[in-house]
């Protein structure tokens, strides 16, 4: 731990190079007030660059997201790129959060000052547009300035490589080492406006053309949709995508339609969070819509709700993933097709893949892994998803975006719902069909947000050292430590427990969140195929709740 004098010295050195008057004023105020705790919070640690890039709270110091942190990251990225390419090119995108445009401009200035080419997206745009642009422009890397669905005070820095997918180890460590070697940012050579190319709307048009290859089918487009971008950047691009595909314009929640970095109508701008979809569901109910859709603020995630007896039902990410997978496989062909999901998502995708005679892979959590999955050299990935509302949908030519894409997913869900409506059916009917065919795969979650991250490690250690004999009345038959590389996967922090009982099987995965101070637990109960799906759902929900209750106790978080 740094002494008070060391903290003050570090703050003074930061002040001397910081180009941002706002964070300089923040630091001066802390120094004048003698606020040692606040200085330690900012200078006692630093944001670590990893496979998720950088993400954290805005503010001064190495423990925060700010212009110095971003310029150092850009300089490290530029150095790593120059180590393998003569004159690399980087495409840079940004959302509408506080500081995003400034961070994007700083990145462009640093990389062009280092002798690289740079393309800047024309305005705040969805993350999938940036991921698409990397391959479309033949860039060697991409940077997206976004904190996705994090709270308003956060921002982040997401790095893609030339294949259009997020970076993996060891590349993240190599970039981190290059960042560590960066000196003062006020001594970096900087490019000026005119040294980089500001792209026009043609990049958005190219992305929309790529979505033309999605398997939308030929069903009538007669479907009514209520939509919210949750104060993010998705609305304009989604409207254009729907119009291009021949769908009626979605009805948009007026008070959430425009980008607003303060996200004033939601506690957390994440459609998974309780209450986040309340306004779009109210709009859907008021207008008699067939479907409700929400994107998160950078529009890489997609949430779906449908009318059901007693009110609207929000589908889980696993339910949407299963529906989209089967839709894609019905509308594409070839035994070389590959579908991919993660170890925390439902096992149903494996059953669907087997039934359709296609290849299936399971990865660690995150699209950075999903997009790298292969079972054979000639794999053609047509679909990938994770339970956290992330989907990459493709057609016969594979996926057009090598990351989760909330716009493409929304478009395909709309096509699937329109096809079902034509046949006098609903998405719930299709889910019931899958339960009859493959067995009922019910998933749930237990998520605990903490203020002290050490509580997460303590809970995992407790579960490792004294795993329960049973959860929810089901025997724990196997405990796999994911840190040891279970199932041939790369090592990662977490545990997987397999359970058995009088009916069906169950599984629990426990892991720390990679982007938030949360312990996340993923539950699945699988019951045999049945014609009485409502009764099976009730039994499965009771089983999930019993497992959830016992798991909280086992983690010491009761």
């Amino acid at each position: 731990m740094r002494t008070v004098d060391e903290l003050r010295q570090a703050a003074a050195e930061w002040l001397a190079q910081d180009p941002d008057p706002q964070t300089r004023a923040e630091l001066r105020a802390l120094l004048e007030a003698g606020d040692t705790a606040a200085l330690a919070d900012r200078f006692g640690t630093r944001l670590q660059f990893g496979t998720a890039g950088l993400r954290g709270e805005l503010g001064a110091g190495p423990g925060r997201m700010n212009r110095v942190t971003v310029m150092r990251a850009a300089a490290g990225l530029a150095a790593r790129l120059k180590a393998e390419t003569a004159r690399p090119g980087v495409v840079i995108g940004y959302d509408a959060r506080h500081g995003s445009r400034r961070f994007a401009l700083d990145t462009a200035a640093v990389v062009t000052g280092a002798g690289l080419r740079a393309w800047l997206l024309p305005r705040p745009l969805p993350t999938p547009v940036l991921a698409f642009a990397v391959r479309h422009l033949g860039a060697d890397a991409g940077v997206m300035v976004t904190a996705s669905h994090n709270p308003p005070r956060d921002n982040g820095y997401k790095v893609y490589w030339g294949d259009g997918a997020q970076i993996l180890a060891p590349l993240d460590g190599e970039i981190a080492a290059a960042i560590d070697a960066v000196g003062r940012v006020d001594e970096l050579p900087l490019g000026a406006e005119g040294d980089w190319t500001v792209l026009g709307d043609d990049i958005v048009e190219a992305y929309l053309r790529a979505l033309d290859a999605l398997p939308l089918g030929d069903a009538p487009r007669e479907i009514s949709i209520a939509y919210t971008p949750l104060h993010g950047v998705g609305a304009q691009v989604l409207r254009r995508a729907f119009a291009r595909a021949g769908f009626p314009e979605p009805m948009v929640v007026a008070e959430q339609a425009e980008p607003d970095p303060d996200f004033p109508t939601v506690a957390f701008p994440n459609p998974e969070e309780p209450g986040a979809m309340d306004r779009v569901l109210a709009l859907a109910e008021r207008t008699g819509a067939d479907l409700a859709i929400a994107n998160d603020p950078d529009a890489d995630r997609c949430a779906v709700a449908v009318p059901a007896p007693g009110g609207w039902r929000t589908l889980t990410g696993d339910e949407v993933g299963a529906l989209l997978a089967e839709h894609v496989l019905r509308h594409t062909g070839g035994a070389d097709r590959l579908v991919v999901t993660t170890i925390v998502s439902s096992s149903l995708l494996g059953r669907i893949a087997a039934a359709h005679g296609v290849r299936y892979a399971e990865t660690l959590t995150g699209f950075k892994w999903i997009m790298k999955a292969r079972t054979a050299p000639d794999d053609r990935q047509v679909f990938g998803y994770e339970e956290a509302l992330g989907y990459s949908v493709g057609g016969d030519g594979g996926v057009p975006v090598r990351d989760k894409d909330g716009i493409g997913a929304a478009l395909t869900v709309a096509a699937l719902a329109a096809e079902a409506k034509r046949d006098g059916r609903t998405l719930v009917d299709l889910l019931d069909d899958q339960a009859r065919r493959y067995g009922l795969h019910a998933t749930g979650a237990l998520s605990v947000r903490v203020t002290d991250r050490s509580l997460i490690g303590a809970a995992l250690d407790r579960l490792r050292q004294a795993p329960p004999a049973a959860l929810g009345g089901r025997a724990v038959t196997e405990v796999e430590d994911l840190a040891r590389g279970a199932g041939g996967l790369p090592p990662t922090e977490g545990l997987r427990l397999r359970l058995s009982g009088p009916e069906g099987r169950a599984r629990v995965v426990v892991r720390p969140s990679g982007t938030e101070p949360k312990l996340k637990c993923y539950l699945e109960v699988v019951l045999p195929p049945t014609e009485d799906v409502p009764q099976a759902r009730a039994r499965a929900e009771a089983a999930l709740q019993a497992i959830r209750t016992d798991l909280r106790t086992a983690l010491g978080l009761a």
Side-chain angles (χ1 to χ4, degrees), residues 229-528:
L230 285 182
H231 300 293
V233 297
Q236 185 186 84
V237 178
L238 181 135
R239 281 188 178 113
R240 290 170 63 178
F242 272 61
R244 186 181 182 94
F247 287 100
E249 182 172 352
M251 300 170 288
V252 181
V253 177
E255 58 268 43
Q256 296 176 336
E258 297 301 321
D260 187 332
D262 293 318
F263 308 109
T265 68
V266 288
F268 288 96
N270 179 354
E272 288 185 292
E273 293 284 345
M277 289 184 66
D278 284 355
R279 293 177 187 244
V280 72
L281 295 180
L283 175 62
E285 178 68 26
R286 190 167 62 249
T287 59
D290 298 307
L291 198 62
I293 293 176
N295 286 138
D296 66 338
D298 69 326
D300 64 349
R301 287 172 172 81
C302 176
V304 179
V306 294
W312 281 74
R313 172 180 165 185
T314 301
L315 303 185
T316 68
D318 285 315
E319 288 175 328
V320 175
L323 290 174
L324 286 176
E326 199 133 38
H327 177 81
V328 168
L329 294 176
R330 283 201 315 270
H331 290 277
T332 57
D336 61 339
R337 290 172 294 169
L338 172 69
V339 295
V340 186
T341 192
T342 71
I343 60 171
V344 303
S345 303
S346 173
S347 59
L348 176 55
L349 184 60
R351 296 287 306 277
I352 292 172
H356 286 266
V358 303
R359 300 166 184 174
Y360 167 76
E362 192 173 274
T363 73
L364 295 181
T365 306
F367 261 78
K368 57 183 177 286
W369 295 105
I370 288 173
M371 286 301 152
K372 304 289 189 181
R374 290 290 181 273
T375 63
D378 64 337
D379 279 342
R380 176 167 48 99
Q381 187 174 147
V382 295
F383 181 70
Y385 98 94
E386 62 181 358
E387 52 73 43
L389 309 183
Y391 318 94
S392 182
V393 181
D396 279 317
V399 293
V401 178
R402 300 200 70 222
D403 196 12
K404 50 188 173 292
D405 179 0
I407 306 294
L411 199 59
T412 313
V413 166
L416 174 57
E419 187 178 273
K421 183 179 179 181
R422 175 200 62 191
D423 299 334
R425 313 196 74 215
T426 68
L427 296 187
V428 174
D429 292 329
L430 301 184
L431 289 171
D432 289 350
D433 288 347
Q434 290 184 329
R436 296 184 187 99
R437 189 179 308 125
Y438 306 116
L440 180 67
H441 292 63
T443 57
L446 170 62
S447 182
V448 182
R449 187 179 292 271
V450 299
T451 54
D452 181 357
R453 284 184 180 269
S454 69
L455 296 174
I456 294 175
L460 284 168
D461 287 344
R462 188 177 299 110
L463 199 59
R464 278 193 180 95
Q465 294 162 14
L471 291 172
R474 293 169 181 263
V476 176
T477 58
E478 185 179 8
V479 179
E480 296 176 283
D481 190 342
L482 300 179
R484 298 177 180 174
L489 295 170
T492 188
E493 180 61 5
L495 296 166
R496 178 164 56 185
L497 289 71
R498 300 189 188 277
L499 290 68
S500 66
E503 181 186 28
R505 55 186 169 84
R507 180 219 66 198
V508 174
V509 179
V510 183
R511 60 177 285 272
S513 170
T515 57
E516 299 176 87
K518 280 183 177 181
L519 181 66
K520 304 185 78 171
C521 308
Y522 308 83
L523 287 56
E524 181 181 36
V525 170
V526 181
L527 302 183

